[in-house]
Amino acid sequence: MKALQKASKFLSDYTSAVVIAIAVVTFFVPVMMGWVNYQLFTDMVGNKFTSQSLIIGIIMFSMGLTLTTEDFKILAQRPLDICIGAAAQYLIMPFLAFGISKVLHLPDAIALGLILVGCCPGGVSSNIMSYLCGGDVAFSVGMTTVSTLLSPVMTPLLVSFLASGTRISIKGLPMFVSIIETVILPIAVGFLLNYLLGKKKTFQDIQKIMPGVAVLGLACVVGGVISSQGANFFTSGVVIFAAVLLHNGMGYLLGYGAGKLTGMNTAKKRTISIEVGMQNAGLATNLATTTAQFASAPESAIICAVSCVWHSISGTLIAGFFASLDRKNEKAEDKKEAVPAHN
């Protein structure tokens, strides 16, 4: 058990390095992570349940094991924070995409794809990043759920408004069922186990292993994205990469700023930064390849696919950055405590 706990600590300390190493290897050997996208079954509303869905469910379960009733009490004290988060998501990213497309003079098809990414809700990966960087997991899941529930209305409305009447449709029920299957249900089971067994030593020992499990799961999820979308990453042209980098990076900064402006604590500021910066680019890729107006402009699908890959990598990097800040602060505190007080 001690060896597993040490391995877990190593993985969580070097999350970025582990995930990027898997991403690089998968880029050159895509078949290595092809199994992540293997379809297991189709659920009652038509969602394809893949190996990736199962991995995400396991990661969410590990998150649930860390949640307590206190987390939800704190969230209940400021429910407005979730509304602020959802508003920030649907105001910052869509209009940021529109602004970047104008400043960089992006061709219509590329601008269309970037706007579509900006108008999508937050992705499940953002919950994982929030967990790994000491963010507020309950807040993160709340934001993802609310933005997903709003997406059947907000995404088509904003795309139509910002991309000159382009029309898309999103089926709300399958997306909501998917969130229940891969996020809410596994977290609820983990939370229930923590509530019932949280004081037992064996259970606490298992909890210490879970961050490592989450890192390995995240590496597999990113590997799966690279396996299916990685071919577009370096063949997409500089302008697409620059637009994605700016959109995503400024999303993190402005999201953090929104949290600071509204008086959120450090954990929530980190969470809203990641939730705003990381969009459900996988949904955007799917819409861009299945909607007639987008399918006729293949560059729009390419920028969505590049966003899908880059958001996974950058999210890992920013989670690693926040986690390293915590480690530095802990070391500084330890040094202070180690220095004897002089009279």
Side-chain angles (χ1 to χ4, degrees):
M1 187 64 82
K2 289 283 182 190
L4 287 172
Q5 287 174 1
K6 280 183 181 176
S8 176
K9 188 172 188 317
F10 175 83
L11 288 168
S12 56
D13 284 350
Y14 297 97
T15 302
S16 305
V18 171
V19 172
I20 290 169
I22 294 289
V24 170
V25 174
T26 306
F27 180 77
F28 291 106
V29 193
V31 71
M32 184 181 85
M33 283 294 175
W35 62 272
V36 175
N37 302 308
Y38 179 74
Q39 186 178 334
L40 300 173
F41 60 87
T42 302
D43 68 15
M44 65 281 191
V45 291
N47 288 322
K48 292 176 182 176
F49 199 93
T50 63
S51 302
Q52 186 188 74
S53 310
L54 190 62
I55 293 165
I56 288 171
I58 291 166
I59 297 169
M60 295 297 155
F61 171 72
S62 72
M63 283 187 207
L65 291 176
T66 69
L67 290 174
T68 64
T69 50
E70 195 58 36
D71 291 313
F72 292 102
K73 281 178 188 172
I74 292 167
L75 192 61
Q77 285 166 8
R78 286 192 65 175
L80 184 63
D81 286 350
I82 288 180
C83 298
I84 291 167
Q89 199 151 36
Y90 282 119
L91 287 172
I92 290 172
M93 294 306 273
F95 289 93
L96 190 56
F98 179 78
I100 288 169
S101 65
K102 294 299 179 189
V103 169
L104 295 183
H105 303 291
L106 297 179
D108 289 348
I110 296 173
L112 189 60
L114 189 67
I115 287 168
L116 176 60
V117 171
C119 295
C120 279
V124 172
S125 295
S126 59
N127 304 146
I128 304 168
M129 305 307 176
S130 296
Y131 168 55
L132 292 173
C133 75
D136 187 324
V137 174
F139 177 47
S140 178
V141 172
M143 266 189 73
T144 299
T145 304
V146 169
S147 68
T148 300
L149 286 172
L150 290 173
S151 65
V153 175
M154 294 303 295
T155 300
L157 192 69
L158 285 165
V159 168
S160 178
F161 176 65
L162 295 172
S164 306
T166 301
R167 302 208 175 276
I168 59 166
S169 63
I170 295 176
K171 292 178 181 175
L173 182 61
M175 283 180 65
F176 183 54
V177 170
S178 178
I179 286 281
I180 290 173
E181 289 171 345
T182 58
V183 179
I184 294 173
L185 196 59
I187 282 181
V189 172
F191 166 73
L192 186 63
L193 286 174
N194 191 24
Y195 180 75
L196 296 172
L197 307 170
K199 290 179 181 175
K200 295 186 182 295
K201 189 182 182 306
T202 307
F203 186 80
Q204 289 171 357
D205 287 338
I206 292 169
Q207 279 178 315
K208 289 174 185 172
I209 297 168
M210 296 318 286
V213 172
V215 173
L216 289 175
L218 175 61
C220 291
V221 169
V222 173
V225 171
I226 301 281
S227 177
S228 62
Q229 307 292 344
N232 295 314
F233 197 59
F234 289 112
T235 58
S236 56
V238 176
V239 69
I240 285 179
F241 188 70
V244 168
L245 201 71
L246 270 173
H247 188 228
N248 178 233
M250 288 180 74
Y252 290 137
L253 284 171
L254 292 172
Y256 195 91
K260 198 173 177 69
L261 198 66
T262 52
M264 292 184 185
N265 61 27
T266 300
K268 281 188 175 175
K269 280 186 286 195
R270 290 178 180 184
T271 300
I272 195 171
S273 170
I274 290 170
E275 283 288 335
V276 169
M278 284 186 77
Q279 300 300 87
N280 191 342
L283 171 64
T285 306
N286 180 259
L287 288 169
T289 51
T290 57
T291 305
Q293 282 172 288
F294 288 88
S296 63
E299 294 92 341
S300 64
I302 291 171
I303 195 168
C304 293
V306 171
S307 295
C308 196
V309 175
W310 178 246
H311 285 204
S312 299
I313 294 170
S314 69
T316 307
L317 290 170
I318 197 163
F321 169 71
F322 285 141
S324 69
L325 285 181
D326 287 343
R327 286 196 297 274
K328 280 180 186 175
N329 290 337
E330 280 173 19
K331 283 178 184 175
E333 287 297 320
D334 289 344
K335 280 182 182 176
K336 276 184 188 176
E337 287 175 11
V339 175
H342 294 288
N343 291 325

